[in-house]
Amino acid sequence: MQCLKEEPKRSKSEELLHITRSKKLLRRNVKLLGLEGDADLQFLLEGGDLLKVRSSSWKKTRYLKLEPDCKTIWHESKKTFKSKQTFSLDDISAVRQGRQSEGLRKYTEEQVENRCFSIIFKGRKKNLDLIASSEEEAKQWVTSLHKLISNMNNLSRQEKAEHWIFNCLRKADKNSDDKLSQKELKDFLRMINIDLDDEYAEILFQKCDKSKSGLLSGAEIEHFYDLLTHREEVDVIYGEYAKTAGYMSADNLVEFLMTEQRERATLADAHKLIEKYEVDEKAKEKKLLSKDGFLMYLHHPESLVLKPEHKEVYQDMSQPLNHYFISSSHNTYLLEDQLKGPSSTEAYVRALVKGCRCVELDCWDGSDGEPVIYHGHTLTSKILFKDAIKAIKDYAFKTSDYPVIISLENHCSVEQQKVMAHHMSSILGSDLVTAPLGDCMPTGFPSPEELKGKFVVKGKRLNKLEATFAPEAAAEDDTDVTEEEDSNDEEEEQEEQKRKKTKKLKLAKELSDMVIYCKSVHFHGFEDAKQNLSFYEMSSFKEGKAVKLAEESANGYIHHNMDKLSRIYPAGLRTDSSNYNPVPLWNAGCQIVALNFQTPCAEMDVNQGRFVCNGKSGYILKPSFLRDGATEFDPITLTRGPWLLSPRRHIISAQQLPKVNKKKSSIVDPLVKTEPIENNGFNPSWNQSFQFEVYVPELALVRFVIEDYDSTSDNEFIAQYTLPFNSLQMGYRHVPLLNKNGDPLPAAGLFIHIIVLDAE
């Protein structure tokens, strides 16, 4: 085995310069984060030894510490030939104390519970499972990391951008002399996603090199930074309204808010904004808003494209459960594909933290009398049913307080079904709905508000719910299929009947009695459902069948979904865990449109956008025309109007776009349905306007997508943001951007101007 080369040792003078420079960087970042003299930050900077756990036989000491940029965690082994590794705080999804990961539960003993913690990463990167030397040290790591991540997240977009640019400047200064040569300047520009030709780079360098020394330092670097971050488009907007000695007065600000932002604003509102955002104390005393203060206002979360009131629960949550779109996951236990991918309790955690309110459990007989979850008849790994229920219990209400539907696809024997019922009862306790709310037989669904903090089981039931109140009223039902065989996809069903004889699935009474509001039944047509099914009896539809109904019988489907719940799930051929378009199904009033949450794709972007508002509760109230029994709405023909609006959208610029290819020389050519801007992902400017028509704004979603132009192949995805059309704020707005996994890109943004007019 060939050892990696050690880094060359610095001379004493070089080491002193490096330490001095690191201290300067540290002081700047500590001040930015508001953590001067903070003991938790000091603990992370000093770092310490932790035991990294990969298996029962692989447990090795690793030294972890925070770098001076206050954003990068550095870790390495004690052996000098091992390479150093780093990860960014931006990569961390969560820090959990205790044996909260599958790895720690599997590979460690209960007695080290309080010394354990896990760093959970975004995307598909493996968890970092660690054991500290004591319970106090473990708590210190968790507390300190939580504080630092929280403070970093609370920075404004402008502050995050400054932090990022400054640290890129530091990395570009290869010889650590606090100066930038022309080559280092070009390296820095490539680092931040700009590629300039040599002639323009030299012009920019000479413009800043006032000392004519061939190196930029001190004030010259500051001047370069100012030139780089200058927002000409903001200058133009500000200049149009700054009519008071070069500043915006409160009156000027009111005019801007009413004219451009389409907001109702008073002088009192303007004074509050100046007090909140103005950075110059002298201007603030005179009730004036400077250009810097105006930029701070534009970057603030309340000024972004999503209406701030829609970030909270703002809809009526007292309507029946079936009046809502419900964020739903298919085969929730899978982290990857449907054939050989790993199953994991972490998949449930990730879905629930994203606001998912309906999770699926495929249940099969396991060894030692313990039921397991996996994708049957495949090579996907298995997890214990009880571990999944524990994970659901622990994380169900971290993001949303509203009910979680546990959708059971039950293939277990009666004996192991009893075990399932026992685990749900003992783990979920009184939070599990095991009887109708109230003292009599209900005639409709309870509301999300009434079911707050509760778990609702979806599955087969031996009899009608009415039997709970009048045993003689209902006979035993047919129980010959499991959940995902309810779709009545005719060709597949005929093949299935040829392949195997119809086999009745016997149900344990203990499990059957837990099914109250979501009893799974066959679908035999809308009229049959209307005449013969109770409100709580629901069907699952494979995507093909559901889309056909939505296209050919949309109004009938809408009326069906006013009385019943419908669940849609991906076709079995999607073995790669790809997704279908959920929009046509929502348009037909379907509530539980289940997607593969583990797969980054445009369909999941749209799903995230549908549920981004209403406090990320996972429940969105359907428009009135999807709840009104007299509705004639048809999403195909758009019967019943008027529906049409005509928005004007002006794509102005973007800031700090990420690279698609991480190579230093690779620079993006970004576009947003615009002409591409060559070699500039840092501050591209398009200034292009569009006008388009929006039908049924109550159902419409707007998706902003930035791509990297490629003349020889398909454009590559850079970033996106999706939100409901009716949640858009008008005027000049920054659009926060998300990566392909749906996670925020901290400093990146799109700057737009949007106006909505009634179509003539």
Side-chain angles (χ1 to χ4, degrees):
M1 176 180 173
Q2 187 176 358
C3 294
L4 296 172
K5 289 184 179 179
E6 295 184 37
E7 292 185 0
K9 292 184 178 179
R10 298 186 182 97
S11 66
K12 286 186 178 180
S13 59
E14 287 175 331
E15 185 66 29
L16 184 62
L17 182 61
H18 174 74
I19 292 171
T20 303
R21 189 165 173 270
S22 294
K23 285 182 177 178
K24 284 182 183 178
L25 173 67
L26 179 59
R27 282 197 299 270
R28 186 185 188 282
N29 288 321
V30 168
K31 184 177 180 181
L32 179 67
L33 291 166
L35 291 174
E36 295 98 327
D38 185 83
D40 291 324
L41 179 64
Q42 192 58 41
F43 172 83
L44 293 175
L45 290 166
E46 290 176 3
D49 287 334
L50 293 163
L51 199 62
K52 181 178 177 179
V53 179
R54 280 189 181 169
S55 69
S56 53
S57 60
W58 198 105
K59 298 183 178 77
K60 298 186 179 181
T61 301
R62 293 291 181 264
Y63 184 78
L64 270 72
K65 72 171 183 177
L66 181 68
E67 293 275 68
D69 66 0
C70 293
K71 191 174 183 178
T72 304
I73 300 290
W74 175 88
H75 62 111
E76 69 169 357
S77 71
K78 288 288 187 183
K79 297 178 181 178
T80 57
F81 60 80
K82 289 283 187 181
S83 60
K84 300 173 187 174
Q85 297 181 38
T86 63
F87 59 86
S88 170
L89 294 182
D90 290 336
D91 298 333
I92 297 176
S93 172
V95 182
R96 300 180 194 148
Q97 189 166 359
R99 295 163 67 242
Q100 295 296 309
S101 72
E102 283 184 324
L104 286 174
R105 283 194 296 269
K106 188 174 181 180
Y107 303 128
T108 63
E109 303 298 326
E110 284 188 23
Q111 53 262 41
V112 298
E113 171 80 33
N114 296 330
R115 292 167 47 203
C116 294
F117 70 97
S118 296
I119 296 175
I120 313 298
F121 294 103
K122 297 171 183 175
R124 292 184 176 179
K125 186 175 180 179
K126 290 182 179 179
N127 301 342
L128 185 56
D129 292 329
L130 302 162
I131 304 177
S133 60
S134 67
E135 179 181 350
E136 292 71 25
E137 186 185 3
K139 284 181 180 177
Q140 181 75 70
W141 274 103
V142 174
T143 301
S144 301
L145 285 169
H146 278 159
K147 179 186 285 188
L148 184 58
I149 291 168
S150 175
N151 281 44
M152 190 68 75
N153 289 340
N154 287 334
L155 293 178
S156 69
R157 283 188 65 252
Q158 193 172 0
E159 288 170 329
K160 287 176 183 175
E162 288 176 5
H163 182 262
W164 176 66
I165 293 168
F166 186 82
N167 285 296
C168 285
L169 276 168
R170 172 182 169 268
K171 289 178 184 176
D173 182 11
K174 298 294 185 185
N175 60 358
S176 301
D177 62 355
D178 285 342
K179 296 176 182 179
L180 284 179
S181 66
Q182 191 166 327
K183 181 182 182 306
E184 287 174 330
L185 179 101
K186 282 209 72 174
D187 287 344
F188 164 73
L189 290 171
R190 289 194 186 97
M191 206 179 291
I192 64 170
N193 222 346
I194 302 177
D195 191 19
L196 299 181
D197 62 46
D198 290 342
E199 185 178 350
Y200 188 75
E202 186 172 356
I203 291 171
L204 182 62
F205 188 86
Q206 297 300 334
K207 194 172 184 179
C208 299
D209 185 15
K210 304 294 184 184
S211 63
K212 305 300 180 187
S213 63
L215 294 169
L216 303 186
S217 63
E220 294 170 333
I221 293 178
E222 288 183 22
H223 181 48
F224 166 68
Y225 173 84
D226 290 339
L227 287 174
L228 190 68
T229 57
H230 178 237
R231 298 277 303 273
E232 185 178 350
E233 70 275 27
V234 175
D235 287 357
V236 172
I237 301 163
Y238 180 78
E240 191 173 338
Y241 289 91
K243 301 172 182 176
T244 309
Y247 287 85
M248 268 192 190
S249 66
D251 285 319
N252 300 153
L253 183 54
V254 168
E255 183 186 1
F256 169 79
L257 294 171
M258 295 182 71
T259 305
E260 302 292 351
Q261 309 298 75
R262 303 300 174 99
E263 297 177 12
R264 294 176 181 175
T266 64
L267 275 176
D269 295 326
H271 287 148
K272 286 179 184 176
L273 291 176
I274 292 170
E275 183 63 32
K276 188 172 184 178
Y277 300 117
E278 182 50 55
V279 292
D280 185 327
E281 290 300 324
K282 289 182 179 178
K284 189 184 291 188
E285 287 175 10
K286 296 176 182 178
K287 308 292 185 188
L288 297 174
L289 189 68
S290 68
K291 187 168 62 179
D292 287 339
F294 180 65
L295 190 57
M296 289 289 286
Y297 154 75
L298 288 176
H299 276 301
H300 196 269
E302 290 182 3
S303 302
L304 299 182
V305 71
L306 177 64
K307 289 179 179 177
E309 61 269 26
H310 287 196
K311 294 178 183 177
E312 309 300 327
V313 175
Y314 73 97
Q315 294 182 328
D316 178 7
M317 302 301 283
S318 63
Q319 298 284 320
L321 194 70
N322 62 317
H323 284 189
Y324 297 83
F325 298 128
I326 302 171
S327 180
S328 306
S329 165
H330 169 254
N331 287 0
T332 315
Y333 49 90
L334 290 175
L335 286 172
E336 296 175 14
D337 66 80
Q338 309 277 317
L339 295 179
K340 55 183 177 10
S343 303
S344 172
T345 57
E346 183 60 33
Y348 287 97
V349 175
R350 292 181 185 182
L352 291 165
V353 169
K354 286 183 177 179
C356 179
R357 297 291 86 189
C358 179
V359 295
E360 185 179 18
L361 294 80
D362 285 7
C363 310
W364 299 79
D365 281 355
S367 58
D368 300 323
E370 284 290 345
V372 295
I373 295 173
Y374 83 113
H375 199 204
H377 310 300
T378 70
L379 298 177
T380 57
S381 63
K382 300 174 183 179
I383 56 174
L384 292 176
F385 176 84
K386 64 180 178 182
D387 287 346
I389 295 297
K390 285 176 185 174
I392 292 168
K393 167 70 173 177
D394 289 343
Y395 289 90
F397 307 113
K398 297 286 187 183
T399 298
S400 168
D401 293 330
Y402 291 96
V404 169
I405 299 171
I406 297 176
S407 180
L408 299 178
E409 186 174 335
N410 177 15
H411 303 271
C412 290
S413 63
V414 170
E415 287 307 310
Q416 293 211 11
Q417 288 177 43
K418 291 178 181 178
V419 177
M420 289 166 59
H422 168 73
H423 287 323
M424 286 198 288
S425 179
S426 61
I427 294 168
L428 303 179
S430 60
D431 293 337
L432 179 65
V433 175
T434 55
L437 304 187
D439 300 324
C440 58
M441 177 61 202
T443 57
F445 289 100
S447 69
E449 192 65 35
E450 291 173 298
L451 290 169
K452 243 181 179 180
K454 298 291 186 182
F455 297 94
V456 177
V457 175
K458 173 191 170 294
K460 284 290 179 180
R461 185 180 168 91
L462 286 169
N463 54 17
K464 291 273 191 178
L465 186 60
E466 287 81 351
T468 306
F469 298 92
E472 71 284 355
E476 184 171 310
D477 279 357
D478 178 31
T479 56
D480 62 340
V481 295
T482 54
E483 311 315 308
E484 293 200 353
E485 292 169 323
D486 283 343
S487 68
N488 280 7
D489 210 329
E490 292 180 11
E491 291 184 11
E492 290 189 15
E493 191 167 290
Q494 288 170 6
E495 289 298 318
E496 184 69 13
Q497 294 300 328
K498 291 177 185 177
R499 193 171 63 84
K500 63 179 183 180
K501 295 178 180 179
T502 301
K503 181 181 177 182
K504 278 200 173 186
L505 171 68
K506 298 300 180 183
L507 283 178
K509 184 177 185 301
E510 295 87 340
L511 188 62
S512 169
D513 287 350
M514 289 179 170
V515 177
I516 307 299
Y517 291 114
C518 296
K519 177 188 174 184
S520 299
V521 297
H522 276 297
F523 177 74
H524 297 296
F526 296 137
E527 189 59 32
D528 175 78
K530 184 177 181 180
Q531 297 297 328
N532 300 317
L533 297 184
S534 299
F535 74 91
Y536 58 84
E537 293 179 303
M538 62 175 291
S539 299
S540 291
F541 302 84
K542 192 171 291 186
E543 61 172 280
K545 175 73 171 178
V547 168
K548 186 176 181 181
L549 288 171
E551 289 177 347
E552 297 178 0
S553 311
N555 191 255
Y557 213 174
I558 288 167
H559 280 274
H560 174 80
N561 289 321
M562 288 179 191
D563 301 320
K564 312 287 191 298
L565 283 167
S566 290
R567 175 177 176 269
I568 320 300
Y569 63 95
L573 293 176
R574 295 186 182 275
T575 55
D576 58 352
S577 294
S578 59
N579 280 307
Y580 56 95
N581 181 7
V583 173
L585 290 315
W586 289 326
N587 292 350
C590 299
Q591 303 90 349
I592 303 176
V593 182
L595 298 181
N596 291 307
F597 266 52
Q598 73 272 31
T599 305
C601 57
E603 293 81 8
M604 270 306 299
D605 293 343
V606 168
N607 190 78
Q608 188 173 2
R610 168 66 74 199
F611 295 99
V612 72
C613 59
N614 205 33
K616 294 186 178 179
S617 63
Y619 285 84
I620 299 294
L621 184 64
K622 294 195 283 188
S624 59
F625 54 82
L626 294 181
R627 296 180 278 123
D628 179 5
T631 188
E632 296 177 4
F633 173 69
D634 187 317
I636 304 300
T637 62
L638 293 179
T639 303
R640 184 184 169 272
W643 300 109
L644 189 60
L645 292 176
S646 184
R648 293 176 183 169
R649 184 169 58 182
H650 185 195
I651 305 296
I652 303 174
S653 62
Q655 300 79 42
Q656 284 90 63
L657 299 177
K659 291 187 175 188
V660 172
N661 187 325
K662 295 301 179 184
K663 289 181 181 178
K664 186 174 74 171
S665 59
S666 175
I667 310 297
V668 299
D669 303 327
L671 58 89
V672 195
K673 286 198 172 182
T674 58
E675 292 299 316
I677 302 296
E678 289 189 12
N679 293 326
N680 187 352
F682 179 74
N683 55 2
S685 180
W686 295 279
N687 275 313
Q688 287 185 244
S689 295
F690 308 89
Q691 187 161 348
F692 55 97
E693 294 179 339
V694 172
Y695 293 86
V696 198
E698 296 95 330
L699 287 171
L701 295 159
V702 179
R703 185 167 183 253
F704 298 92
V705 186
I706 304 181
E707 295 179 328
D708 181 16
Y709 174 72
D710 193 319
S711 60
T712 59
S713 62
D714 291 340
N715 296 339
E716 289 191 78
F717 174 92
I718 296 177
Q720 69 87 30
Y721 187 73
T722 307
L723 75 165
F725 181 82
N726 281 351
S727 295
L728 281 170
Q729 291 208 90
M730 300 299 102
Y732 289 102
R733 303 293 175 184
H734 281 101
V735 180
L737 295 174
L738 308 177
N739 64 17
K740 66 178 181 180
N741 294 316
D743 298 315
L745 293 164
L750 185 66
F751 190 46
I752 64 169
H753 183 256
I754 189 162
I755 297 175
V756 177
L757 305 171
D758 289 330
E760 296 179 359

